């Protein structure tokens, strides 16, 4: 059965907020995606994406996948950039010079980039990597030499068909949903044209009405494959707690030698929040400077665990807690225990 794509037309509180406060000329609407015609298993909904997804869906589903590809998959604002830089550096023998001189989005491109909004390139730059990536991110990746490094935010259900047979390495990273939501709000307000309040965005998030949602279906689609030999499942929180240990897991997964103590220290320093925020190859300041309305706005904001406590209202915290409890109760006992220990703050 072919993938079904339906336009979002409003009618619910969340959809009305979405269409009122999160559309603009280059992103005029949204669609819900039903892989092979089916709703997402956990929520019973379709995956929400900007309307341009429909233009790229066929080429993306049919994209050639290579067995030596390395993917980083996550729901947005879950530690994706951090994980990409870690994976790339480990895979490329700690080539910090290149990591600081070549934009991450070109050496580790986001495959859905061209789906997000209309691209406006500068005349005369058509043959540059940045233009090619912006114009058609799927083709840009298809034309890259191996080994390729690919970022995605979509669920397992929507990955290219060849992922199942070629079995590329996939590093999944996930984050507590409260921190994810607050970080996603700031990202969308700064870079993606969202005009509503944090409370409005919480409504969108909890009602599965922001791009790449439903959150639970996206997360669980990868969790279901955590024991596959080509999948490594990580959390943002464990990376913050013990990055050297996570580096060891990634080295083993990628069949790379664990760095010496000196090199491990250098890698962890390169991956520190302050270093990442100051690294123009990964901090996306070239995009932020065109959008920011104040000097304290940055792509990399805090890099903290439980930062949601500083911004979320008690009413929205209660909404979130009820939503988490409701969804945890749908999980099998083993998964529920893991997620309770991860999600629920003592």
């Amino acid at each position: 059965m072919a993938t079904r794509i339906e336009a979002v037309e409003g009618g619910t509180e969340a959809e009305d907020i979405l269409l009122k406060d999160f559309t603009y000329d280059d992103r005029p609407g949204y669609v819900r995606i039903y892989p092979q015609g089916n709703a997402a298993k956990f929520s019973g909904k379709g995956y929400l994406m900007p309307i341009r997804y429909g233009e790229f869906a066929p080429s993306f589903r049919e994209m050639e996948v290579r067995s030596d590809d390395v993917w980083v998959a996550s729901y947005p604002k879950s530690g994706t950039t951090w994980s990409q830089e870690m994976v790339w550096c480990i895979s490329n023998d700690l080539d910090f010079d290149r990591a600081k001189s070549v934009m991450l989005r070109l050496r580790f491109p986001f495959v859905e980039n061209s789906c997000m909004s209309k691209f406006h390139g500068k005349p005369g730059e058509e043959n540059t990597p940045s233009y090619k990536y912006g114009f058609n991110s799927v083709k840009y990746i298809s034309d890259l030499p191996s080994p390729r490094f690919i970022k995605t935010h979509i669920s397992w259900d929507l990955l290219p068909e060849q992922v199942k047979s070629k079995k590329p390495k996939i590093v999944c990273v996930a984050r507590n949903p409260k921190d994810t939501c607050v970080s996603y709000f700031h990202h969308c307000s700064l870079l993606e044209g969202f005009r509503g309040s944090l409370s409005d965005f919480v409504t969108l998030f909890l009602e599965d009405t922001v791009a790449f949602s439903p959150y639970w279906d996206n997360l669980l689609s990868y969790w279901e494959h955590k024991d596959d030999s080509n999948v490594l499942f990580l959390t943002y929180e464990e990376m913050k707690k013990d990055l050297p240990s996570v580096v060891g897991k990634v080295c083993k997964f990628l069949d790379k030698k664990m760095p010496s103590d000196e090199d491990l220290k250098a890698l962890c320093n390169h991956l520190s929040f302050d270093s990442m925020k100051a690294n123009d190859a990964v901090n996306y300041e070239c995009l932020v400077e065109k959008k920011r309305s104040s000097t304290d706005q940055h792509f990399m904001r805090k890099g903290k665990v439980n930062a949601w406590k500083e911004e979320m209202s008690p009413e929205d915290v209660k909404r979130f807690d009820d939503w988490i409890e409701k969804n945890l109760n749908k999980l099998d006992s083993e998964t529920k225990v893991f997620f309770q220990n991860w999600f629920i703050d003592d």
Side-chain angles (χ1 to χ4, degrees), residues 73-117:
S74 70
Y75 187 86
K77 308 310 293 181
S78 297
T80 319
T81 302
W82 194 16
S83 302
Q84 287 175 268
E85 188 70 355
M86 174 178 62
V87 167
W88 190 91
C89 287
I90 291 171
S91 299
N92 287 274
D93 302 319
L94 309 189
D95 187 351
F96 298 132
D97 289 339
R98 189 166 176 231
K100 294 175 182 178
S101 61
V102 180
M103 294 291 185
L104 181 64
R105 68 179 187 272
L106 299 181
R107 52 188 165 89
F108 212 133
F110 174 33
V111 70
E112 300 98 87
N113 181 68
S114 296
C115 303
M116 302 310 294
S117 62

Side-chain angles (χ1 to χ4, degrees), residues 20-78:
K20 174 179 175 289
D21 292 327
F22 210 171
T23 54
Y24 45 95
D25 288 347
D26 292 337
R27 189 190 291 185
Y30 293 84
V31 293
R32 286 205 179 268
I33 316 300
Y34 297 83
Q36 284 76 53
N38 299 319
K41 290 185 290 186
F42 195 74
S43 68
K45 300 178 181 178
Y47 292 100
L48 192 102
M49 286 294 289
I51 198 168
R52 280 175 59 83
Y53 178 87
E55 297 179 33
F56 293 91
S59 61
F60 180 57
R61 293 292 288 180
E62 297 165 9
M63 188 178 92
E64 177 198 11
V65 175
R66 304 172 195 166
S67 59
D68 61 352
D69 287 341
V70 180
W71 293 61
V72 163
S74 70
Y75 187 86
K77 308 310 293 181
S78 297

Side-chain angles (χ1 to χ4, degrees), residues 190 277 285 288-301:
L190 176 59
K277 190 171 183 177
E285 282 297 297
V288 171
E289 65 183 4
K290 302 174 184 177
K291 303 278 189 176
R292 64 162 58 99
S293 57
S294 65
T295 56
D296 63 347
Q297 290 179 302
H298 300 281
F299 178 82
M300 296 180 181
R301 296 174 50 254

